[in-house]
Amino acid sequence: MPQTPMADKPLLTVRNMSISFSSPDEADIEAVRQVDLTLTPGKTLALVGESGCGKSVTARAVLRLLDKNAVIPSGEILFDTGQGAVDIAQLKPDSLAMRSIRGAEISMIFQEPMSSLSPVHTIGDQIDEIIILHDRVSPKQARERTVALLDQVGVPGARDRANAYPFELSGGLRQRAMIAMALACTPKLLIADEPTTALDVTTQAQILDLLRQLQDDYGMAMLFITHDLGVVAEVADDIAVMYLGDVVEQGDVYEVFRSPKHPYTQALMNSVPRLSRKADRQRLSPIKGTVPSPRDRPAGCAFTSRCPHAFAPCPDQRPERTQLSAGHVARCHLLTREPAEALA
Amino acid sequence: MLRFIFNRLIAMVLTLFAVSVVAFAIIQLPPGDYLTTYVATLNSNGDRVDPSTIEALRQQYGFGEPFLVQYWKWISGILGRGDFGQSFEWKAPVTTLIWGRLGNSILIEGLAVIAMWTIALPIGIYAAVRKYSLGDYLATIGGFIGLAVPNFLMALVLMYLSFVWFGTTIGGLFSPEFENAHWSLPRIWDFLSRAWAPVLVLATAGTAELIRILRANLLDELKKPYVTTARAKGLPEWKVILKYPVRVALNPLVSTIGWLLPTLVSSSVIVSVVLNLPTAGPLLLRSLTSQDMYLAGAIIMLLGILTVIGTLVSDLLLAWIDPRIRYGSK
Amino acid sequence: MAVETISPAEAAAPRKVRRESQLALMWRRFRQHQLAVVSLWLVIIFYLIAALAEFLAPTDPSAYSARFTYAPPQGLHLFLQNEDGGWSFQPHVNGYKSEVDPQAMRRTFVVDPEVVIPVRFFAPSEPYLLAGFIPMSVKLMGVEGPRDPFYILGADRLGRDLLSRLIHGTRISLSIGLAGVTLSLFFGIIIGGFAGFYGGWFDSAVMRVVEFIRSMPTIPLWLGLAAALPKDWTALQTYFAITIILSLIGWTELARVVRGRFLSLRTEDFVTAAQLDGASDWRIITRHMVPSFTSHIIAAATLAIPGMILAETALSFLGLGLQAPIVSWGTLLQEAQNIRTLATAPWLLAPGICVVVIILALNFFGDGLRDAADPHGR
C-alpha cells in the first residue's frame, strides 16, 4: 500500500456530528450520535458496520444528501477547500456553495450501479453533464474527456460504450462508469458507499484494485463504506466501526485488526469465516440476538443488549472515548473500569 | 426499433380487421335488411321505385347472401373505392357526410389531449414533489371530482352556469358566419372562443387520471438512487427533478394515452350531443335512432380506427422516448 | 430472568392474532380507512333507498298533474312559526302562487310562504306492494289533501314529483349496476379463470380479445348494440337487454383481474407446497387459491359498479338505453338535456348529484376494500 507522508493536513474533519430524523407522528430518532472522523489526502477510511448502523447516513451527511426530514442538530463537518475550511453542516443542502462542492470536490459512488444510473440517459450523457456543469466546457470537449475517463477506468471500447444505456452494460462495467463519473472533475474526496456489495466476487476484486490504483493516481482521500471486513483489509488505512449510530472503535486498520478492544469489534472479527482446512476450522461465533431498533437504544452504550460483558454502568452511562494508543480510540466501559462486575 | 414498428403495424392491421367486422356486425344487427327499409322509405315518400334499381342494389350489397359475402362486398367497396355505402336518411353517399364531422372530432379530441397534458404535468409534478402539502390535497380532491363527475353532466352544468351568469349559451364550434368559411385567423379565433368549453369538459377526467398516475409514478421515482446520484453531481434541485425522475415517470404516462383515447372518443360522442358540436357524435346518435345503419357503421368503424391509430402513435412515442423498449429489453 | 417471564406472553400474542379469520382481519384493516367507512354507509343508505323505494317515495313516480308543470322545489320545513312568534314542531311545505309572465306568456310558480300545507310522517296511503311482495298502506311522508301540491324537490314538465322519481330511479340505476357487475363477474370468472389456470393458447386468445375490446371506444359500441333492440320490447326486456349489453364489455376488466390472480398464485410457494403435499387440482383451487383472492375479486367488482352505473346513465341520457316508462337517473337527466328546460327548472339536475355521490362513494369503498384485501399491495 502506498504511503503518503503523515504530515498531511486533514481534508475533512467530522467533529461531534449527530443526525436525527423526524417523523410527523413519532418521536425523533437519533440515527447517528456524536461521530468524529478524519480524512486525509491519499488515505482511505473504512466505515464498517451492520446494515442500519448509520454508516450510509453519515456518508450522505457529508454531501448533505439526506432526506428532508433529517437534521444535523450538532457538530461540524469541516472541509478544506484549499482556500480555508468550510463547515458543510452549516450550508443549505440546495445552496450554490454546497452544489459547487458536490461532484467537483467531493463525489460519491453508490452500491447499486444499475439503479444509481438513470435508465433513460446514455452513460456518456450522464458523465458529460457533470463535466459541463462544473468545468464549463463545450459538449464536444466534455465527451472527449468522458471517453478518456471511461478508458482510464477500464471500459473497453469507451467511445461506443459512451453511447450505451446502463441496461446494456454488465454490473462491473456499470460500476466502472459510475466511478468514471465520480472522478470526472478530479475530486479531493471520494465517498464509496458499498461500491462492491452488489457485484460478484471476481468483479469485486477488479473494482477494488481499480479504486486503489485511481487513488494512487489522483491522490484523493476516500471514505469507504462497507460491511465486509475482507474488503476493509484490502483497501483501508484507517477504520471506524459503527454500531447503531455510535462509532464504537476507530483507528489504524492494522492496529484495530490486531487487537480489537471493543466487544462489538471483537465479535465482528469472530464472525468472519476464514479459509482453512476442515479439520482446523473453528466454529464461527455469531453475535447473539439482533440489532435493536434505534428507538430502543439504551442511553448508555448501544451494544449493551448484545454484549457478553455488559455490566452495571453500560445501559445508562455513555462510555467515553478512550485513547488506547496513537490513533486508536474506543468507547467501552471495560477500558476504564474494573471488569469484575461484568465477569461475575 | 424497425422490428418493433413492424410488429406493431401487423398487430394494428389485425385490430383494424376486427374493428371492421364489429362495425359490420352492428350494421347487420337491426332486424330486417337495409334495402327493405330503403324501399319502404322511398315508397312512403311517394317515390316510385324502379325494380331494376332495387335489383342492382341487391347485387351490389349482396343482400340475402351469407354474412361473409356481404362483409366482403362492403369492405372491398371501402378499400377499393372508398365507398362506405348509402345513407338512406340523407339520401347521399356516407362519405359525403362524415369527413368534415370526423375532422372536427379529431380536432376536438386532439386539443383535449394537449389540454390534459399541459394541465396535468405541472400539477402532477407539484403534487409529488410537495407531497401532503395543501396544493397536493387540492389536486387530489380536484382529481376525485374530475373522475366522478360524468362528462355530459359537467357539460350540462357548464352550460347552465354560463347561461345564468353570462346570459350566453355555450355550444357549437363556429358562429353562423364562420360555419362554412375557409380557415382564416378570425375563424380560428371564433373556433377557439367556442371550443374551450368542450375541450375542457373532455379533458377533465383524463387530466385527473394523468395527475394521479404522474404523482404515483413520480413518488416512486423520487426515491430511486439515481436521483441521489444526480444530486451528488451538484445539479440544482429543480434540474435534478425535471431531468431525471420526471423524465422517467413520463414513460408510463405516455402509454396511458393509449387507454385514455377510447374513453376520450367515447365521451366526445356524448359531450358533442349535449353541447351540440358538429362532430361525428351527434351524427352517430341520429343515424342510430333512425336505423341509418351504413352511416352508423361507418362512424363506429372510423371512430374505432381513430382510436387504434392513436394508440399506435402513443406506442411508437413511448418506444421513441424509452430506450429500454426501443432496444427490446425489459 | 426478566426475559423468561416475557417470552411466553409474547409467544402467545401472535397465536391469538392468527386465530382471527381472513374476513375479520380484512374488516379491521378496512375500518382504519375512514373515508371508506363513510362511503360504505353512503352505499348502504343508497341501496336501502333503492330497496324501500315505494315506501320512501311520497307519490307514484308516473302520477302527473298538468297544473304543476315545472313547479319549483318546496323544501321540507320541520318547524312552524306561530302567531305569537314562538316555534313549534309542525312539518310542512308551502304552497304555490302562480304568476303569468307577461313577456314569455308562460305560467310560472313561486313558493308562497303564506300557504302552509301540513306534512304527516307515516301517512296512510293507497295500498301497495313494497319491493313487489310486502303489502303496505303507509308511506314515509304524505300531505292531507290529495289535491295539495307536494314537491319537495320540484316537479318536471308533466308535473310529476322529482323526489319520487329520483327514489325510483335510484332503484333502477343501482340495480342495473349490480346486475351488470354480477353478470360480468360470471363471465369474467369463467373466462379469466380458465385462461389463468390452464394458460396456453386459450389464455393468449382470451387476452387478445380482452385487449381488443378494451381498445375500443365503448359508448359508440354500446349505442350500436342498444340501437338494435326491437322497439316493441317491454320495459323489463329492455332492462335485461341493456344489462347484457353493458356486461358484454364489462367482463373484460374482471376477467383480467381473475386471470392475473390465478397466474400469480399458480407460482406462489404455498400452492407449490400444496401440490407437493399431493393435493388435487380441485382442492388447490377451492381451498388454497380461491380464499386468497376472493377479497380481491370483491374489491374489483365493487370498483366496476360505478362504470356500469355511468354507462347506463349515459346510454339512457342519449335516449338509446332504458325507455320512457322506466325511471332511471339517465332517463331523468335526459329531460334536463336542453338549455331552455335547464334554465326554467335547474332542479332537474338533481339526479346528477346522486350519480356523483354514489360514484365517489363506491370508488372510495372499493379502494378501501382493495387496500384491506391486500396489505402489501399498493
Side-chain angles (χ1 to χ4, degrees):
Chain A
M1 186 154 287
Q3 289 297 310
T4 6
M6 284 297 291
D8 265 351
K9 221 163 52 149
L11 178 70
L12 183 89
T13 316
V14 174
R15 216 174 276 154
N16 203 26
M17 179 186 70
S18 300
I19 299 168
S20 54
F21 286 88
S22 59
S23 79
D25 31 43
E26 284 166 353
D28 290 5
I29 300 171
E30 200 172 26
V32 170
R33 49 178 190 181
Q34 295 159 355
V35 165
D36 298 88
L37 297 170
T38 310
L39 283 142
T40 33
K43 294 255 189 175
T44 302
L45 167 65
L47 201 50
V48 183
E50 292 164 88
S51 31
C53 70
K55 52 190 197 303
S56 279
V57 172
T58 307
R60 271 153 212 248
V62 172
L63 275 177
R64 303 301 305 275
L65 289 176
L66 296 171
D67 289 343
K68 279 191 197 117
N69 61 343
V71 284
I72 306 179
S74 71
E76 46 194 15
I77 306 168
L78 293 176
F79 179 68
D80 182 10
T81 56
Q83 297 111 33
V86 181
D87 184 2
I88 292 178
Q90 300 300 323
L91 296 178
K92 283 212 173 74
D94 197 35
S95 64
L96 184 63
M98 189 65 241
R99 294 203 316 260
S100 56
I101 292 176
R102 279 184 202 151
E105 308 277 333
I106 306 176
S107 57
M108 188 157 178
I109 51 181
F110 299 90
Q111 176 178 353
E112 253 296 327
M114 179 73 209
S115 52
S116 299
L117 289 165
S118 161
V120 296
H121 297 89
T122 61
I123 301 287
D125 285 347
Q126 298 186 54
I127 304 177
D128 291 351
E129 184 185 34
I130 189 169
I131 300 172
I132 296 169
L133 180 73
H134 292 292
D135 293 355
R136 302 185 186 286
V137 295
S138 72
K140 220 171 167 180
Q141 288 168 303
R143 179 50 63 94
E144 284 310 311
R145 237 169 79 192
T146 300
V147 173
L149 276 164
L150 286 174
D151 204 41
Q152 195 186 358
V153 297
V155 174
R159 195 163 291 276
D160 292 334
R161 290 288 161 81
N163 288 321
Y165 289 92
F167 64 84
E168 297 175 283
L169 302 181
S170 67
L173 282 185
R174 271 183 228 138
Q175 195 57 294
R176 282 172 198 267
M178 199 64 215
I179 293 171
M181 184 155 87
L183 296 179
C185 297
T186 53
K188 294 186 187 131
L189 169 62
L190 178 66
I191 300 174
D193 188 355
E194 309 221 18
T196 57
T197 311
L199 306 173
D200 46 3
V201 189
T202 45
T203 324
Q204 220 174 62
Q206 290 169 8
I207 296 288
L208 288 179
D209 247 14
L210 173 70
L211 282 172
R212 260 199 324 225
Q213 186 207 327
L214 290 168
Q215 192 178 25
D216 282 355
D217 296 349
Y218 287 79
M220 64 198 170
M222 190 146 77
L223 176 59
F224 200 100
I225 294 152
T226 183
H227 61 259
D228 185 342
L229 289 178
V231 171
V232 175
E234 193 99 344
V235 296
D237 299 294
D238 297 299
I239 183 173
V241 181
M242 284 190 84
Y243 182 80
L244 212 57
D246 283 347
V247 170
V248 292
E249 183 161 9
Q250 61 195 112
D252 179 77
V253 70
Y254 185 68
E255 180 84 20
V256 173
F257 274 23
R258 193 174 50 89
S259 62
K261 285 291 187 287
H262 194 282
Y264 177 63
T265 322
Q266 291 164 355
L268 212 54
M269 309 277 300
N270 284 333
S271 56
V272 177
R274 291 192 180 80
L275 281 178
S276 51
R277 236 172 295 172
K278 192 166 186 182
D280 302 339
R281 283 183 208 159
Q282 296 178 327
R283 290 283 297 269
L284 291 177
S285 43
I287 309 175
K288 285 188 306 180
T290 52
V291 188
S293 133
R295 214 175 288 288
D296 305 328
R297 181 177 53 201
C301 176
F303 193 52
T304 312
S305 61
R306 301 168 74 192
C307 183
H309 310 296
F311 63 116
C314 291
D316 306 313
Q317 278 174 41
R318 186 118 191 270
E320 291 302 308
R321 288 164 55 89
T322 314
Q323 189 88 24
L324 299 162
S325 64
H328 185 180
V329 178
R331 281 179 188 264
C332 181
H333 286 302
L334 287 174
L335 303 172
T336 49
R337 301 181 191 219
E338 275 306 304
E341 299 163 70
L343 295 173
Chain B
M1 185 70 182
L2 275 177
R3 198 187 151 78
F4 176 83
I5 295 178
F6 181 75
N7 285 341
R8 279 302 143 123
L9 282 177
I10 294 287
M12 188 184 79
V13 169
L14 288 178
T15 319
L16 288 182
F17 170 70
V19 171
S20 69
V21 170
V22 168
F24 190 69
I26 286 175
I27 293 181
Q28 297 279 305
L29 265 185
D33 73 39
Y34 159 73
L35 197 62
T36 324
T37 334
Y38 184 57
V39 172
T41 333
L42 287 182
N43 280 334
S44 68
N45 290 355
D47 297 340
R48 224 185 61 77
V49 195
D50 181 7
S52 63
T53 322
I54 297 178
E55 195 44 43
L57 282 171
R58 191 174 291 283
Q59 279 295 319
Q60 190 189 338
Y61 292 111
F63 290 120
E65 294 186 61
F67 180 87
L68 279 179
V69 176
Q70 292 195 40
Y71 171 74
W72 172 248
K73 293 204 166 178
W74 179 70
I75 196 75
S76 58
I78 292 173
L79 293 177
R81 289 161 295 172
D83 176 12
F84 284 87
Q86 286 278 325
S87 157
F88 80 81
E89 194 191 2
W90 300 79
K91 296 203 180 62
V94 167
T95 32
T96 56
L97 299 168
I98 46 177
W99 291 119
R101 290 194 163 239
L102 208 65
N104 287 340
S105 285
I106 294 175
L107 194 62
I108 289 290
E109 282 150 22
L111 286 175
V113 169
I114 294 172
M116 273 181 213
W117 279 77
T118 25
I119 303 170
L121 270 185
I123 296 180
I125 294 173
Y126 180 87
V129 173
R130 298 255 180 283
K131 191 179 156 192
Y132 301 142
S133 66
L134 181 68
D136 181 21
Y137 283 120
L138 286 181
T140 310
I141 293 170
F144 276 126
I145 293 173
L147 283 180
V149 181
N151 276 311
F152 69 89
L153 193 62
M154 198 168 286
L156 278 179
V157 171
L158 208 62
M159 208 159 76
Y160 174 69
L161 291 182
S162 87
F163 183 78
V164 173
W165 289 344
F166 309 114
T168 56
T169 49
I170 49 171
L173 283 181
F174 301 103
S175 311
E177 66 266 33
F178 289 110
E179 190 79 58
N180 295 311
H182 283 285
W183 283 106
S184 62
L185 223 54
R187 188 171 191 242
I188 291 175
W189 175 247
D190 176 63
F191 169 75
L192 288 179
S193 66
R194 284 165 171 268
W196 64 268
V199 166
L200 278 188
V201 168
L202 279 181
T204 39
T207 307
E209 189 69 22
L210 282 183
I211 291 177
R212 206 175 56 83
I213 297 171
L214 177 59
R215 179 177 178 276
N217 283 340
L218 197 52
L219 282 178
D220 271 358
E221 294 299 329
L222 282 172
K223 284 187 228 128
K224 298 256 171 91
Y226 68 82
V227 183
T228 315
T229 309
R231 285 203 189 100
K233 282 178 178 175
L235 289 170
E237 187 67 17
W238 63 269
K239 206 168 172 181
V240 168
I241 287 175
L242 287 187
K243 183 161 177 189
Y244 293 95
V246 168
R247 173 71 180 67
V248 177
L250 278 187
N251 293 349
L253 209 59
V254 168
S255 63
T256 58
I257 300 183
W259 52 263
L260 278 178
L261 260 187
T263 329
L264 187 65
V265 171
S266 264
S267 42
S268 90
V269 169
I270 188 165
V271 168
S272 298
V273 170
V274 175
L275 291 179
N276 192 22
L277 308 180
T279 64
L283 191 64
L284 171 66
L285 186 63
R286 181 152 174 199
S287 61
L288 282 172
T289 11
S290 59
Q291 304 233 322
D292 187 359
M293 292 319 285
Y294 277 92
L295 181 55
I299 295 177
I300 289 178
M301 182 165 86
L302 289 172
L303 288 180
I305 289 175
L306 188 67
T307 319
V308 171
I309 290 177
T311 313
L312 177 79
V313 169
S314 86
D315 276 355
L316 294 184
L317 204 62
L318 179 65
W320 179 57
I321 70 164
D322 193 336
R324 286 168 296 186
I325 292 177
R326 204 181 327 150
Y327 291 100
S329 129
K330 279 286 156 180
Chain C
M1 282 299 111
V3 176
E4 273 167 35
T5 54
I6 288 170
S7 52
E10 273 178 344
R15 216 172 293 145
K16 198 173 143 214
V17 171
R18 224 173 290 136
R19 259 205 299 269
E20 237 175 348
S21 73
Q22 176 78 17
L23 217 65
L25 212 70
M26 198 170 144
W27 173 240
R28 205 158 46 114
R29 282 195 296 260
F30 179 78
R31 267 191 328 199
Q32 290 164 358
H33 208 309
Q34 283 179 8
L35 202 53
V37 176
V38 173
S39 302
L40 172 61
W41 281 113
L42 270 174
V43 170
I44 291 176
I45 289 172
F46 265 93
Y47 273 96
L48 274 180
I49 291 176
L52 304 178
E54 289 92 351
F55 172 67
L56 296 175
T59 56
D60 188 316
S62 47
Y64 55 88
S65 158
R67 285 168 53 222
F68 294 105
T69 297
Y70 293 135
Q74 295 167 314
L76 179 67
H77 305 271
L78 289 182
F79 294 95
L80 184 67
Q81 192 164 27
N82 300 333
E83 268 127 52
D84 54 1
W87 294 85
S88 63
F89 180 74
Q90 169 61 71
H92 68 278
V93 291
N94 297 120
Y96 293 106
K97 274 191 298 218
S98 75
E99 293 163 357
V100 175
D101 187 341
Q103 275 168 331
M105 289 301 285
R106 202 175 51 184
R107 200 154 56 133
T108 57
F109 291 97
V110 180
V111 174
D112 179 6
E114 299 297 310
V115 185
V116 170
I117 302 167
V119 172
R120 262 186 73 179
F121 282 103
F122 301 104
S125 74
E126 299 280 301
Y128 61 94
L129 293 175
L130 180 64
F133 65 96
I134 307 169
M136 302 260 290
S137 56
V138 164
K139 293 219 177 201
L140 179 66
M141 293 181 290
V143 285
E144 298 285 342
R147 306 261 305 158
D148 286 334
F150 188 41
Y151 298 111
I152 293 181
L153 288 183
D156 67 359
R157 186 169 51 89
L158 298 177
R160 294 174 294 198
D161 177 31
L162 183 61
L163 178 65
S164 303
R165 292 174 69 71
L166 197 55
I167 289 172
H168 280 271
T170 304
R171 167 177 285 178
I172 298 296
S173 287
L174 290 188
S175 68
I176 214 166
L178 215 52
V181 165
T182 312
L183 205 59
S184 303
L185 201 58
F186 178 73
F187 290 131
I189 286 180
I190 290 182
I191 301 174
F194 264 102
F197 195 75
Y198 294 105
W201 67 268
F202 183 71
D203 182 36
S204 27
V206 166
M207 287 325 284
R208 286 298 86 74
V209 172
V210 167
E211 260 169 43
F212 170 68
I213 295 181
R214 288 171 64 80
S215 70
M216 283 292 100
T218 47
I219 286 186
L221 279 189
W222 274 324
L223 287 178
L225 293 173
L229 297 182
K231 295 267 188 294
D232 50 359
W233 276 15
T234 64
L236 200 66
Q237 278 174 314
T238 329
Y239 177 90
F240 282 115
I242 293 289
T243 314
I244 291 170
I245 288 175
L246 293 185
S247 43
L248 273 182
I249 291 168
W251 66 271
T252 52
E253 172 65 28
L254 291 166
R256 230 169 45 96
V257 175
V258 173
R259 169 187 174 271
R261 282 279 125 192
F262 260 110
L263 273 186
S264 65
L265 281 177
R266 232 174 22 168
T267 54
E268 206 62 62
D269 286 345
F270 71 86
V271 172
T272 316
Q275 273 163 347
L276 291 177
D277 286 347
S280 66
D281 263 14
W282 176 248
R283 188 180 163 80
I284 290 171
I285 293 179
T286 53
R287 300 285 300 175
H288 296 274
M289 293 172 86
V290 171
S292 67
F293 74 57
T294 31
S295 44
H296 291 264
I297 302 297
I298 292 171
T302 311
L303 287 172
I305 299 177
M308 290 285 167
I309 295 178
L310 270 181
E312 182 277 321
T313 311
L315 276 187
S316 306
F317 176 76
L318 288 177
L320 283 173
L322 300 176
Q323 301 297 337
I326 310 186
V327 187
S328 80
W329 291 340
T331 54
L332 287 178
L333 280 173
Q334 198 190 356
E335 289 168 26
Q337 220 180 71
N338 83 56
I339 183 67
R340 221 173 277 278
T341 318
L342 211 50
T344 333
W347 51 89
L348 290 180
L349 278 179
I353 298 172
C354 292
V355 174
V356 173
V357 170
I358 191 70
I359 281 168
L360 276 179
L362 281 167
N363 267 315
F364 287 133
F365 171 51
D367 276 346
L369 269 186
R370 192 181 51 194
D371 291 353
D374 187 6
H376 320 293
R378 287 143 291 167

